[in-house]
Amino acid sequence: MTERLQPQSGEVIDRSTPLPFVWNGKECTGYVGDTIASAIMANGHRIFARSMKYHRPRGLLTADFWDPNAFVQVDDDPNVRSGHRLLEVGVTVSPQNVWPSLDVDVKAANQLVGRFLSPGFYYKTFIHPQKLWPAYEKVLSTFAPGGEVDIETPLAYHDKRYTHPDVVVAGGGPAGMAAALAAAEAGASVLLVEHEHGLGGHLRWGSDEERAVAADLEAKVRAAGVEVLTDSTVTGRYEDNWVGIVQRSHPIAVERLIKARAKTLVVAAGLIERPYVFAGNDRPGVMLSGAVRRLINLYAVKPGERAVVFSANDSGDASVADLERAGVEIAAVVDGRTTGNVIATHGSQKAIKSVELSGGRTVEADLLVTAVGWTAPTSLLNMAGDRPVYDPAVARFFPSGTPDNVLVTGGLAGDGTLDQLIEHGSATGSLAAGRAVAIAHRLQAATVRAAAVEGAEPDLAADVRTPLGRDPHPELFRSTTHGIVDYSEDVGSKDLVSAAKEGYDSVELLKRYTTATMGPAQGKLETVNTVAVLAEARGETIAEVGTTIWRPPYAPITLGALAGRIFEPERVSSIHPWHVANGAKPILAGQWIRPEHYGDPAGEVTNVRTNVGIIDVTPLGKLVLDGPDVPKLLNLLYTNSWNKLDVGSVRYGLMCAEDGVVMDDGVTGRLSENRWLMTTTSSGAGSVWEWAENWLQTAHPDWEVFVTPVTTAYTSINVAGPKSRELMSRLTDIDLDPDAFGYMKVRTGEIAGVDDCIMWRIGFTGELSYELHVPAGYGLHVWEALLEAGADLGVAPFGLEAQRIMRIEKGHFIVGQDTDGLTKAPTTGLQPLIKLDKDDFVGKPELTWAMEQDLPVLVSVKMTDKTIVPPEASQIVRPGTNEILGRITSSRYSPTLGESIGLAQVPPELASAGSELTVVLTSGERTTAVVQEHHAHFDPEGARLRV
Amino acid sequence: MLLVPCPHCGPRNQSDLRLVGATVPRPDPNATTPEEWGDYLYLRDNPADWIEETWYCRAGCRRYFTLTRHQGTNEFRNPPMPGDKVGTATYTTISVGSSGSQPGANIEPHTTGGAS
C-alpha cells in the first residue's frame, strides 16, 4: 500500500527518478530526495525498529536526524539514521535490534518483566558472583542494540580540511542565512554550515510564502560568496573559536572533518521539538508536529488516516492544516494552551487505536500529533562557557552570556515574526563581521615581531541589536500518566522518579544512573523532560534543578573522519633505491625505512670481522655547531669534558637530562677551530637539536653558537672491517696511515671524487672502521664506488641486524634499548665520563648524588645454554621466587663466538663477574646467565679497532 | 585548541608549538639541595592566575620564548622579547573571552618598567 500523496508544492523528491530498494526483505520504491525513512513510510511501513531494552515496536517520532526510533542497517553500514540519510538506488535496508524479526521479537518478553529492568538493573543483578560475569556477558551481549559490523568492509576514504574564515555561522535557517549574508556584505569571509540537506531551517517545510522567503535569502547568500555546507554539522566549539565541523556531503570522502579557526562564531542552531510524556507515548503513530509537517511537505508522505492533534503552539496548528490538505481526517484538536491534555494512547503494540483525552473522552485515531514546545540546543554555547537559564514563561532555556566572539541569533535567542528573525540575524551578521576585524587586528598586533598591522585597533563593536522577544508557551512536559522520556535508552518517567527516590536526585547523577540523555539522541529530545520529571519528583522548579552541560560533539562523527587521511611520513636515505634493488629486508626504525639485512645477517657479521662491510647509517642525527663557544655548549650538554679536544679529533659524549637520566649519546668531532659536527642517536636527532637550542636560547643567549641540523644533508656510511683501510685508500687521497689518521680522529676531504666529505675513525662494530658523511646527493655514488673498488676485498653491505649483533659482542649499549626512563648515567658503567669537577652541566646535582647511590648496573651476560636466546626484556628473578631483580635488555646469538650473549640491568649485588642470573623465558621456564668481566665479549682490549 | 601568539610568526595553533612548561629559575647546581632540585624538576604551582611559561615554536621560527597565560581563562599576554625597546612594547591581551568569564578583570596591569 502506498502512502505517497499527490505532488506537494514544497516537496524535495524527484518523481521522475524512482529508486528501487529493499526494506526488511520487501521490494520497495522511493524517489531521489527521499530519506530512507520517508521512503519506507511511503511504501506503507510504519514500524522501523524495536526499542533497546523492552523491544517494543517503534515508528517514526521526529522523522529527521534525531529520530530515536529509526536506526537501520543499510547494506554493511550499521546504525544509520534513516530519518536523515538519503535513499540510494538498490540498497538493502534492514531493521536492527530485532530477533528473529521485526514482526515477532522474542526479546519483547523483556517488557513483561519490565519491573526487573529498573535503573541499575544490570549492575545490581549481575554484580555477584563476579566469576559468573563472563557467562552473563555472553548472554547479555546478544541483547545489546545496534547493527552488525562487517569486518570485511573495505576501508572508506575520509579526509580533513583546515580553514580560517572570519565568521562561521552554525545553522542555515532564516536567521543564520541573514547573518551569513550580512557578514559577507560587510566584507567578511563566511562559512555557513547547515545540518539538514538544504538551507531554510523550519521554512523548508513551511508555507509557499515562507519557502519563497527562504529561496530569496539563499540566492542572496550564494551570490554574496558565502561558502555553504549542507548536510554538515558544527560539532564543537573549543578555545579561541576552534570550530569542528563534520561534512557528510563531501563528493568523495565518506565524511570530512573540517577544523575552522573562526574570528567570530554565530550560533543559529534553531529549536528542536520536544516530545510529550504520557502512557503509550512510544506507540507507533505518535509523532511530533514537525515530523508530520516534514513527511507531508518535503516528502509527500501521508503519516496516517485519522489524527488527534495536541497543539500548544503555531507548529501544531500548522500541522492541522497540513494534515487536512493531505487528506488525513482530523478526529480532534486538543489545545494545550487551555486545559486540554492527552492522557494515553490505547491499541495494539504496533498501532494506536484510540487516544484518551482529559475529561474522560476517548477518540479513535491511528495518529497522534503532539506540539508541546521546544528544546533550545545550546550545546555550542555550553562549550563557549555559557550556562543557559530556564524561563518558565516560555518553557525553554535561554543563553545567559557568551564570550565576545560567540554570538547567538534565531530561535536560540528568542521568538519573533519571520521579519524580526531575519532582522536580528542580519544585525548579528554585521556585528560578527565588525568584531572579526577587531579580533584579527588584536591577534596580529599581539605578536610583537610578526607582520605589523596598520592603524589603531578598531573598537570591539558594541552589541546594539534589538533583542528578540519571548513568546509565552505553556509548560508541558508530562501528562498525568507516565511514559517514555528517553526513547533511545528506553528510560521512562517512572524510572526517573524511582531513581530520584533512591537518592540519585542531582541531574548529573540521575543521567548517569538511568542513562537518560546518554543514547544516540544525546539529549536533543529528552533533556528538558528529564529535568522536568526530576523537578517534579523533588518538588522544585526546573530552574532550581538546573540542566546537564552539553559537551562535544553536537552530532556524531565517525572514527574514520577523526583519523582522516594518514600523514605518517616515511624517510629513506639516498641509497634506498640500491637497498631495494639488492634484496634488503626493510625494517621501520622510527620514521626511517632501513635495511635489516640482505639475506644472511650472521654471514654479514662474519664478513665484517674478516673482510670489510659497509652499512648505511644515514638516520644518525647530525648537527653542525659553529662558533667560538661550542666547547661551552658541549660541556653543558654532555657529562664529560670538551675543553681540550683538538682540531681533527672526535670524542664520545654521554648526554643526560636534568634528572640524571641518560637521554642520548654520540660522537662529536672538531672539524676546524670553530666548526664541529655532533652526531646523535637516530631517534634523538630532532630532540637533541631542540634541546641544544633550548639551552642556547633561554639560559645562555650570550653564547656564540649556531646549530644547523644536517642529518639528511649528508649520507652516512660506516666502512668496517680489517680491510677497510685498504678499501678507503683506493678512493681517497686523505692520508690513512695510522700515525697520521689514528683512532678517534676526523679528516675532511675528497672521497670517490666527491668534495667536502667528512670521515672519522670510530668503532661501534669493534673493527677498524671509518664513518663517512658525504653530501647526500652523492651518497649512492660513494656507496657504489665502495662496492666496486672493494670487490676483490670481499666488500659487502651489512644491515641493522648484523650491526646489533656486533655491538652486543662489543658490549655497547643503545640509549632507549639498554637504558630506560629511570636509567641514570652511573648505571651504564661510564663513571669516568661523568666529570663532577666541571663547573656545571645538565643534571650535575642529580649525578653527584647518583654516584653515591646503589643503582642498577648494566652488565654483559652469557647464557649458560648457548642454544637459548632469551627475548629482550626477559625478567631476571631471585632463584626459586618470582621476585624481579632486573631484566635482559639486549640479546643475540653471536656467530663470532658461537655463544648466546646479551646485556642486562641487574642490582649491584649481582653485578660482579661470575654472578649467576635466573632468567624467566616467555614459556615460563627458567634458564641461567652468567655476568661477564667486561662489557665487551669480543676483543675487550679494543686492539682490532686501534690498528 | 589554543591560539598562541608567537612573537615572530603571529597567532598559531597550539599544535604548531610545544609548551615547555612553567618558567622556573634553575637552582645553582653547585649549591642546591635534593629538596630544592626536586622542586625545580617536578613541582609546579597550579594557580587560577597568571603564570609565566616557556613555549617553543617548533613548526615556525623555532624560537623559545616566554608568554604569560591566565590559567583560569587561557588569556595570553605577550611580554617584550629580549632586545625589544623597553617601555614601548607593553603587554597585549589577546585572548577574546575564551571561557565566557571576564578575563583578567581583576588583574593588575603588568608593566615593563619603562624609563619614563
Side-chain angles (χ1 to χ4, degrees):
Chain A
M1 185 182 74
T2 175
E3 301 287 355
R4 191 74 77 178
L5 299 165
Q6 291 304 304
Q8 303 292 307
S9 56
E11 69 184 25
V12 295
I13 52 173
D14 172 7
R15 294 182 188 242
S16 65
T17 318
L19 302 176
F21 71 104
V22 174
W23 160 244
N24 196 20
K26 298 179 184 72
E27 301 286 339
C28 296
T29 306
Y31 295 120
V32 165
D34 259 326
T35 63
I36 290 170
S38 70
I40 291 172
M41 277 289 278
N43 282 270
H45 303 289
R46 291 189 183 181
I47 298 171
F48 279 71
R50 295 226 171 212
S51 70
M52 171 189 156
K53 206 155 51 173
Y54 302 124
H55 289 253
R56 290 157 68 102
R58 290 277 175 82
L60 290 185
L61 180 73
T62 72
D64 66 0
F65 191 95
W66 302 113
D67 202 310
N69 299 337
F71 287 88
V72 297
Q73 176 111 13
V74 179
D75 295 330
D76 58 1
D77 198 358
N79 306 325
V80 170
R81 291 166 185 259
S82 69
H84 182 81
R85 177 77 66 87
L86 295 180
L87 181 68
E88 289 175 64
V89 66
V91 291
T92 297
V93 184
S94 326
Q96 296 183 167
N97 200 24
V98 290
W99 185 79
S101 77
L102 190 58
D103 298 323
V104 183
D105 187 326
V106 294
K107 288 173 195 155
N110 267 1
Q111 65 188 299
L112 302 177
V113 293
R115 68 190 178 90
F116 295 117
L117 294 185
S118 57
F121 167 76
Y122 289 104
Y123 302 124
K124 291 171 185 165
T125 309
F126 296 108
I127 193 162
H128 298 295
Q130 228 170 3
K131 64 180 176 189
L132 277 182
W133 175 247
Y136 290 146
E137 195 181 20
K138 209 169 174 180
V139 175
L140 293 176
S141 68
T142 68
F143 281 72
E148 282 177 20
V149 175
D150 180 357
I151 57 168
E152 301 295 323
T153 302
L155 287 177
Y157 179 78
H158 292 83
D159 205 354
K160 280 189 189 172
R161 174 188 165 196
Y162 295 83
T163 183
H164 302 263
D166 294 327
V167 179
V168 167
V169 181
M177 282 196 285
L181 177 60
E185 284 176 342
S189 60
V190 184
L191 180 61
L192 172 61
V193 185
E194 168 54 44
H195 182 70
E196 278 294 333
H197 296 282
L199 293 178
H202 67 277
L203 304 184
R204 285 178 78 222
W205 50 86
S207 66
D208 292 350
E209 296 74 29
E210 288 174 321
R211 278 184 288 103
V213 171
D216 179 53
L217 265 176
E218 176 170 355
K220 286 179 180 158
V221 160
R222 292 189 186 272
V226 171
E227 183 182 357
V228 178
L229 294 174
T230 54
D231 192 13
S232 303
T233 308
V234 177
T235 60
R237 184 270 182 193
Y238 306 87
E239 292 288 347
D240 297 317
N241 270 351
W242 181 245
V243 175
I245 299 162
V246 60
Q247 182 184 4
R248 294 176 295 266
S249 57
H250 191 269
I252 298 167
V254 177
E255 265 189 17
R256 179 160 75 161
L257 185 64
I258 300 173
K259 299 180 178 186
R261 178 73 78 180
K263 304 289 188 309
T264 40
L265 171 66
V266 174
V267 182
L271 297 171
I272 294 176
E273 194 169 18
R274 204 168 58 219
Y276 192 48
V277 181
F278 56 92
N281 66 342
D282 67 331
R283 192 168 263 129
V286 176
M287 288 189 201
L288 308 189
S289 67
V292 298
R293 299 201 68 200
R294 282 186 281 273
L295 286 172
I296 294 168
N297 296 333
L298 294 177
Y299 308 111
V301 171
K302 191 177 181 185
E305 298 301 324
R306 190 177 147 88
V308 172
V309 179
F310 179 45
S311 172
N313 54 41
D314 294 348
S315 177
D317 299 345
S319 72
V320 175
D322 288 338
L323 287 164
E324 282 176 332
R325 202 178 66 251
V328 179
E329 186 186 344
I330 304 294
V333 177
V334 185
D335 194 336
R337 285 156 291 206
T338 59
T339 56
N341 206 348
V342 169
I343 309 299
T345 61
H346 300 287
S348 73
Q349 275 202 21
K350 294 175 186 170
I352 301 174
K353 289 205 167 63
S354 64
V355 180
E356 183 184 337
L357 305 174
S358 53
R361 193 172 151 218
T362 296
V363 181
E364 281 191 18
D366 67 344
L367 177 64
L368 170 59
V369 180
T370 66
V372 296
W374 309 97
T375 295
T378 52
S379 310
L380 294 171
L381 306 178
N382 276 162
M383 297 171 209
D386 185 35
R387 295 293 172 264
V389 174
Y390 181 71
D391 183 346
V394 192
R396 69 177 199 257
F397 284 85
F398 286 90
S400 64
T402 56
D404 292 339
N405 56 359
V406 177
L407 300 170
V408 190
T409 186
L412 278 180
D415 302 304
T417 63
L418 188 49
D419 284 344
Q420 285 168 330
L421 285 172
I422 291 171
E423 194 186 314
H424 190 268
S426 190
T428 304
S430 305
L431 185 60
R435 288 198 173 171
V437 172
I439 290 167
H441 189 285
R442 182 180 301 182
L443 289 171
Q444 189 63 28
T447 60
V448 291
R449 292 182 179 178
V453 277
E454 285 179 16
E457 180 184 322
D459 288 334
L460 199 66
D463 187 351
V464 292
R465 293 174 292 172
T466 309
L468 287 167
R470 295 185 182 187
D471 293 349
H473 196 290
E475 289 184 282
L476 289 166
F477 306 108
R478 185 174 78 84
S479 179
T480 54
T481 50
H482 281 287
I484 293 290
V485 173
D486 186 333
Y487 289 78
S488 38
E489 293 287 293
D490 248 0
V491 178
S493 49
K494 240 183 209 166
D495 300 325
L496 296 177
V497 171
S498 71
K501 279 184 188 154
E502 285 181 57
Y504 297 94
D505 57 356
S506 128
V507 65
E508 294 283 359
L509 277 180
L510 180 82
K511 160 185 163 179
R512 284 156 181 82
Y513 184 56
T514 63
T515 73
T517 75
M518 288 170 70
Q522 283 288 294
K524 303 296 184 299
L525 304 175
E526 65 278 10
T527 286
V528 180
N529 285 343
T530 301
V531 172
V533 170
L534 177 61
E536 203 186 329
R538 278 168 44 170
E540 292 177 345
T541 64
I542 288 178
E544 284 167 323
V545 169
T547 185
T548 55
I549 295 170
W550 266 318
R551 295 185 174 82
Y554 179 79
I557 311 171
T558 60
L559 294 176
L562 289 173
R565 260 187 292 169
I566 311 267
F567 288 110
E568 181 70 28
E570 284 174 350
R571 309 177 76 182
V572 295
S573 84
S574 64
I575 310 172
H576 183 72
W578 190 94
H579 301 319
V580 172
N582 287 275
K585 179 173 184 282
I587 185 172
L588 193 66
Q591 291 180 335
W592 290 88
I593 300 177
R594 306 187 62 176
E596 187 176 13
H597 57 75
Y598 300 84
D600 177 16
E604 291 165 20
V605 171
T606 306
N607 192 54
V608 172
R609 295 263 182 251
T610 53
N611 295 315
V612 56
I614 58 175
I615 180 171
D616 179 357
V617 291
T618 300
L620 206 63
K622 295 176 278 291
L623 300 171
V624 167
L625 310 176
D626 285 301
D629 292 324
V630 172
K632 289 183 186 170
L633 176 68
L634 297 174
N635 270 329
L636 179 69
L637 297 184
Y638 287 122
T639 61
N640 48 329
S641 176
W642 295 80
N643 293 329
K644 290 177 193 147
L645 191 70
D646 300 326
V647 173
S649 290
V650 305
R651 183 169 289 171
Y652 171 82
L654 186 66
M655 198 177 283
C656 291
E658 285 277 59
D659 57 1
V661 170
V662 177
M663 67 176 271
D664 206 80
D665 67 347
V667 167
T668 296
R670 191 170 197 173
L671 308 181
S672 65
E673 182 62 25
N674 286 335
R675 170 161 285 199
W676 306 59
L677 178 67
M678 173 194 268
T679 61
T680 74
T681 60
S682 302
S683 55
S687 54
V688 171
W689 176 28
E690 293 188 356
W691 185 239
E693 285 290 350
N694 190 353
W695 287 96
L696 283 172
Q697 292 183 26
T698 64
H700 300 286
D702 52 321
W703 287 0
E704 291 184 35
V705 181
F706 274 114
V707 183
T708 312
V710 293
T711 300
T712 47
Y714 288 97
T715 294
S716 303
I717 302 167
N718 195 290
V719 184
K723 297 178 183 170
S724 56
R725 181 177 291 125
E726 170 63 23
L727 172 55
M728 290 314 301
S729 72
R730 298 177 183 181
L731 291 171
T732 181
D733 292 334
I734 296 171
D735 185 356
L736 299 175
D737 185 273
D739 293 331
F741 187 0
Y743 180 57
M744 298 302 271
K745 298 292 177 192
V746 56
R747 296 291 178 266
T748 55
E750 186 183 301
I751 297 170
V754 180
D755 282 336
D756 300 322
C757 294
I758 300 162
M759 170 161 69
W760 56 35
R761 265 191 73 181
I762 55 165
F764 199 50
T765 59
E767 298 297 328
L768 170 68
S769 68
Y770 297 89
E771 193 162 280
L772 320 180
H773 304 289
V774 307
Y778 297 101
L780 180 57
H781 160 74
V782 173
W783 178 266
E784 288 177 332
L786 285 163
L787 290 170
E788 195 183 324
D792 61 315
L793 303 174
V795 68
F798 64 104
L800 270 187
E801 177 61 14
Q803 191 189 46
R804 278 188 202 138
I805 294 169
M806 287 187 277
R807 70 98 188 168
I808 298 174
E809 288 176 346
K810 288 295 295 179
H812 293 311
F813 68 88
I814 291 180
V815 176
Q817 166 86 39
D818 303 291
T819 71
D820 56 50
L822 293 174
T823 305
K824 293 180 181 174
T827 290
T828 63
L830 295 178
Q831 280 83 346
L833 294 189
I834 304 170
K835 298 291 186 193
L836 296 177
D837 57 344
K838 283 200 291 183
D839 187 44
D840 186 16
F841 60 91
V842 179
K844 179 180 175 183
E846 197 73 44
L847 290 171
T848 306
W849 305 316
M851 293 290 258
E852 309 296 321
Q853 293 165 351
D854 282 338
L855 299 173
V857 181
L858 189 67
V859 295
S860 266
V861 297
K862 202 175 266 187
M863 291 347 126
T864 316
D865 182 342
K866 60 181 67 174
T867 65
I868 296 175
V869 179
E872 286 169 348
S874 291
Q875 285 163 353
I876 295 165
V877 298
R878 192 178 296 286
T881 74
N882 286 324
E883 185 190 344
I884 297 167
L885 301 174
R887 67 177 198 284
I888 301 286
T889 59
S890 296
S891 58
R892 282 294 185 278
Y893 179 78
S894 162
T896 312
L897 306 166
E899 304 262 15
S900 169
I901 58 172
L903 289 166
Q905 277 201 24
V906 297
E909 63 268 23
L910 289 176
S912 49
S915 298
E916 192 175 88
L917 308 175
T918 303
V919 180
V920 182
L921 302 173
T922 319
S923 63
E925 287 173 49
R926 297 178 178 210
T927 186
T928 54
V930 178
V931 176
Q932 304 298 296
E933 186 180 352
H934 300 288
H935 270 190
H937 294 270
F938 177 70
D939 184 28
E941 300 80 27
R944 297 176 69 90
L945 48 82
R946 287 192 168 82
V947 294
Chain B
M1 185 182 306
L2 292 174
L3 202 53
V4 182
C6 172
H8 307 100
C9 302
R12 296 279 144 163
N13 274 352
Q14 187 182 352
S15 56
D16 285 5
L17 297 97
R18 179 160 62 83
L19 174 59
V20 179
T23 307
V24 289
R26 184 170 185 251
D28 177 351
N30 297 307
T32 187
T33 63
E35 290 70 28
E36 187 190 41
W37 192 255
D39 282 0
Y40 158 66
L41 287 180
Y42 305 116
L43 296 183
R44 296 293 178 269
D45 292 334
N46 188 23
D49 201 346
W50 293 97
I51 62 159
E52 277 205 351
E53 56 193 15
T54 304
W55 289 79
Y56 174 57
C57 187
R58 63 184 314 185
C61 62
R62 294 199 171 271
R63 304 305 293 172
Y64 288 82
F65 48 85
T66 302
L67 294 176
T68 47
R69 181 173 61 89
H70 193 280
Q71 296 205 108
T73 63
N74 274 333
E75 178 188 356
F76 280 103
R77 283 172 183 171
N78 207 335
M81 295 287 292
D84 286 339
K85 209 170 154 188
V86 175
T88 53
T90 51
Y91 78 86
T92 320
T93 298
I94 74 133
S95 192
V96 184
S98 33
S99 71
S101 58
Q102 293 276 307
N106 51 359
I107 308 293
E108 289 297 310
H110 164 111
T111 53
T112 57
S116 58

